[in-house]
Amino acid sequence: MGRLIEDMLLLSRVTRREMHVQETDMSALATDVAEELARDDPQRDVQLSIEPGMAATGDPQLLRIVLVNLLGNAWKFTSKHEQAHVSVGTVRDPEHGPAFFVRDDGAGFDAKYKEKLFVAFQRLHAQEEFPGTGIGLATIQRAVRRHGGDVWAEGEVDRGATFYFTIPDLHVSYSARGEQP
């Protein structure tokens, strides 16, 4: 119950807090979050790939909340795999333009329920199978929308999920990747 109350308060604060916009190193932020997850769960074998040179102009605390929730979900929903793969990067989406993504090879979800993903308390997996409060993705959506962005997901049952989000002022060091958007 305490965790639920904390998550609901966070959801409320994401919507109401004053934004402090600045250039944010998304690669470093994702690395910090991933290192925390690995430190808290050292027995997990998770191969993590984080694209270098990702940046966005936004509120670093809100962007951290987005990555904590998305990487935390990737970590959680790959927990049934002996070896898991999680990647964070950027892509040019035909409809949305440049976007960040967090991809995993975990439990995934049935695409026919994707409209429920970002609704508070709507869970697609049993609490016993994957614990949580059902607030995380709603929090992500609010944080991204505060930046004027959008969030969406693709998934397949037992084949993983990819969550995408846009921040209108997204910067990628394409020279590090050797390609253009």
Side-chain angles (χ1 to χ4, degrees):
M1 186 62 137
R3 176 63 193 220
L4 177 61
I5 291 169
E6 287 174 22
D7 286 353
M8 289 176 64
L9 287 171
L10 177 62
L11 180 65
S12 173
R13 282 192 295 266
V14 162
T15 305
R16 295 183 178 161
R17 74 180 292 278
E18 184 180 337
M19 288 182 56
H20 301 282
V21 176
Q22 65 187 54
E23 182 76 13
T24 303
D25 184 337
M26 296 294 283
S27 297
L29 202 54
T31 299
D32 289 346
V33 171
E35 287 172 354
E36 288 173 16
L37 289 165
R39 205 173 27 255
D40 291 346
D41 199 359
Q43 72 278 6
R44 291 288 312 278
D45 183 7
V46 179
Q47 289 184 326
L48 218 73
S49 169
I50 298 173
E51 180 180 318
M54 297 185 300
T57 302
D59 183 298
Q61 289 183 329
L62 289 178
L63 294 173
R64 180 176 177 76
I65 288 168
V66 169
L67 290 174
V68 163
N69 279 285
L70 287 176
L71 284 167
N73 277 356
W75 198 269
K76 174 173 48 176
F77 288 106
T78 60
S79 64
K80 308 267 189 247
H81 293 250
E82 209 168 291
Q83 289 187 313
H85 302 281
V86 175
S87 58
V88 181
T90 57
V91 66
R92 180 170 283 284
D93 181 77
E95 182 180 338
H96 299 92
F100 293 104
F101 69 83
V102 176
R103 179 176 295 126
D104 69 64
D105 62 350
F109 61 90
D110 189 331
K112 70 181 176 184
Y113 299 114
K114 73 180 182 179
E115 299 306 317
K116 291 182 161 194
L117 286 173
F118 301 101
V119 178
F121 307 115
Q122 293 292 314
R123 298 178 47 89
L124 301 185
H125 299 277
Q127 175 73 18
E128 300 75 35
E129 186 179 16
F130 296 105
T133 60
I135 302 276
L137 292 177
T139 302
I140 290 165
Q141 184 180 53
R142 288 190 185 176
V144 168
R145 286 191 174 164
R146 290 275 323 266
H147 287 88
D150 198 11
V151 61
W152 68 99
E154 297 172 352
E156 207 174 321
V157 175
D158 295 327
R159 301 201 56 168
T162 304
F163 286 83
Y164 301 91
F165 66 97
T166 60
I167 301 297
D169 199 2
L170 175 154
H171 309 284
V172 180
S173 174
Y174 289 102
S175 61
R177 293 177 42 204
E179 62 184 65
Q180 294 295 318

